[in-house]
Each structure stands twice: as C-alpha cells, then as structure tokens.
Amino acid sequence: MAALSAAIAMDVRVSSSARLGRGVLILAAISVLVGLLVLPLMAIFAEAFRRGLAFYLNAVREPETIAAIRLTLTVAAIAVPLNLVFGLAAAWAMTHFQFPGKALLGALIDLPFSVSPVVAGMMLILVYGKYGWLGAWLESHGIQIIFALPSLVLATVFVTLPFVARELIPLMQAQGSEQEEAALTLGASGWQIFFRVTLPRVRWALLYGVLLCNARAMGEFGAVYVVSGHLRGITNTLPLQVDQLYEENFSAAFAVASLLALLTVLTLAIKRLLEWRHGDHLNAGH
C-alpha cells in the first residue's frame, strides 16, 4: 500500500511538472507571436489611421501610390501564373519520372530559399543589364529588361519559384501514381489523366501554394529594389513606394504599408481557412 501511494504521488508530481512545462512553452510561444506579429500589425494600422480617415484615403489615392499598386498587381498577375505552371510541371516530373539531373532539379527549386533576394537582383543585372552578358544584344534590338517591367517580373518569379512546387511535390509523392496508371490502362490520354485524375487530387495544395506565392510576390522588396531603378510612378512597386514615403512622409508611409499588412492578414485568414476545411489534403504529403 505504501509503495502504491508513493507511485501515485510520483505520478502526480510528474503530471504537475509536465503541465507547468507545457504552460511555460505555450506562454513563451504566444508571447513571441504577440511581440513579433500581433503588436507590429496593430501598430501599423494605428499609425495609418492616426491622422484620420481623410488623410488615409488621400495617402492611398496619390497618383504615385496608385501606380505602385497597379504595377504590383501586374507583376503578381504575371509571376504567379508562371510559377503555377512551373510548379505543376516540376512536381509532375519529380514524382512521376526518373531522369538524369533529378536531384539537381530539386536543389535548383530550393535555391531561391538560400539566396538573398538582393543577390538575385544583382545576378539579373549581370545577365540582362546594360553591361551584362546579354546587355549589348538586348540594347541593339531595343529590348529593355533592367529598370523596366520585365526585370520586376523576373526578380519576382525567381524569389517565389519554390512555393507552388514545394507544396505539390510531397503530396504527389505521398499519393503515388497508382490512379494515373489505372487511368492509363483504361485508355485515358495524358491530358485526360492530368485534368481528371491528378489535378483534382492536388487542387487544394495547389491553391495553398498559389496563395503563398502571391503574398510573397506582392510583398517582395530586396530583389525588385535592385532591378527597379526606383522610378516613381514607373518601376516602384508597393513595397518600394512605402520605403520612399518613409523618408518623406511618415504617416503616409504607414497608410500605404497598411495595404500590405492587410494582404498579410488576408493571407493568414485564407491559409487558416484552407487548413481547417482541407487539412487532410494539405498535410497528406508533409
């Protein structure tokens, strides 16, 4: 009986210690999230509306800001579909075929994660700039890449390259190719297999990857800063416009920055909704 009582007391102490440790870890995690995410987001919106709604609306309606918004949407509208197509093709190739250089392709997909966006911008200048490898040929044919829309698109495509592919590859690997092989034996063509078998199975992971890709594309700063030339109303995307306004009009900078913060909030909300509604599909390959 004494031994049993001692064992029960030990279990109670262990359980209390476990609960205390768990509580400390949860509190630490919440504190970090509040300090790094919640409070900064609240501060952005508070500063954006500090001088009133009229000032806020005037700040976001400035012609240069409108041009920056339009350019940001244009770049994202080009870069995201390109990465969608690349991500689907790369994921299909990586999970359905064996070929020389497969490991290299996987490493190249992850390259933008390890390369600084500023370095990525410099690489584009070295290739497409006036004195770059292709600069003389481009200039002779009247094609301008750097300090123009094409360079912004190239920089954005580079930094967002892995997002769609890295959402699809683990999922496709976990699902296997049995259903595609069965459809093939029944006489389905390659396109029929893709649109009727493969795509429906990965659609939620694909949407998730596109969502993250779009958020990063619209918020990218480092790479586009290098290749844009900082031309207001011409090559300034929304993040670059915020950077320039910060040095001239503090409150207006936060008003414009609130648009990017709102994008962050919407992305998190949609991300959470997708995880709640389709968590099994999104996590099957992770």
Side-chain angles (χ1 to χ4, degrees):
M1 181 64 70
L4 179 60
S5 299
I8 293 174
M10 178 64 71
D11 288 341
V12 171
R13 288 195 296 271
V14 171
S15 298
S16 299
S17 300
R19 286 196 297 269
L20 178 60
R22 183 172 56 194
V24 171
L25 289 175
I26 293 174
L27 180 61
I30 293 175
S31 299
V32 171
L33 290 175
V34 170
L36 294 180
L37 295 177
V38 178
L39 288 179
L41 282 174
M42 293 175 60
I44 287 176
F45 286 106
E47 183 61 34
F49 289 97
R50 183 174 62 85
R51 297 177 61 176
L53 181 60
F55 177 86
Y56 178 87
L57 294 176
N58 288 332
V60 299
R61 288 174 179 172
E62 284 291 326
E64 293 176 351
T65 299
I66 295 297
I69 295 173
R70 187 181 297 112
L71 180 61
T72 302
L73 294 175
T74 301
V75 171
I78 299 173
V80 173
L82 289 175
N83 274 333
L84 185 153
V85 174
F86 170 80
L88 278 171
W92 179 273
M94 292 285 291
T95 57
H96 288 74
F97 303 105
Q98 295 294 332
F99 54 90
K102 181 177 178 179
L104 177 61
L105 176 60
L108 290 176
I109 291 174
D110 291 333
L111 183 64
F113 282 145
S114 58
V115 174
S116 167
V118 175
V119 175
M122 293 298 298
M123 290 190 300
L124 291 175
I125 289 179
L126 288 175
V127 176
Y128 302 105
K130 183 177 181 180
Y131 301 104
W133 293 353
L134 302 178
W137 185 89
L138 292 171
E139 187 174 12
S140 66
H141 289 77
I143 302 173
Q144 184 174 359
I145 302 294
I146 303 301
F147 307 148
L149 177 63
S151 65
L152 304 181
V153 172
L154 288 173
T156 304
V157 167
F158 179 88
V159 298
T160 59
L161 189 71
F163 285 94
V164 174
R166 279 305 166 197
E167 286 299 323
L168 295 180
I169 290 173
L171 179 60
M172 286 186 174
Q173 287 175 335
Q175 290 177 339
S177 58
E178 290 80 6
Q179 293 190 23
E180 285 91 344
E181 292 173 357
L184 183 63
T185 60
L186 293 174
S189 66
W191 287 112
Q192 288 175 326
I193 293 173
F194 177 76
F195 284 109
R196 296 185 181 181
V197 180
T198 302
L199 194 58
R201 298 170 71 198
V202 302
R203 63 185 184 277
W204 298 116
L206 178 63
L207 178 59
Y208 188 59
V210 168
L211 175 69
L212 296 178
C213 180
N214 181 70
R216 178 61 191 277
M218 296 182 70
E220 173 55 29
F221 178 82
V224 297
Y225 181 88
V226 174
V227 301
S228 69
H230 322 141
L231 304 176
R232 281 192 171 184
I234 302 176
T235 62
N236 260 9
T237 59
L238 202 54
L240 301 185
Q241 181 70 6
V242 171
D243 178 63
Q244 291 191 353
L245 284 175
Y246 185 77
E247 300 177 359
E248 303 167 1
N249 191 328
F250 187 79
S251 297
F254 276 91
V256 178
S258 70
L259 300 177
L260 291 173
L262 181 61
L263 172 66
T264 300
V265 173
L266 289 176
T267 300
L268 290 174
I270 299 174
K271 174 179 177 290
R272 185 67 187 90
L273 179 63
L274 287 175
E275 290 174 344
W276 175 60
R277 293 288 299 274
H278 309 285
D280 294 339
H281 299 284
L282 294 172
N283 298 321
H286 295 276

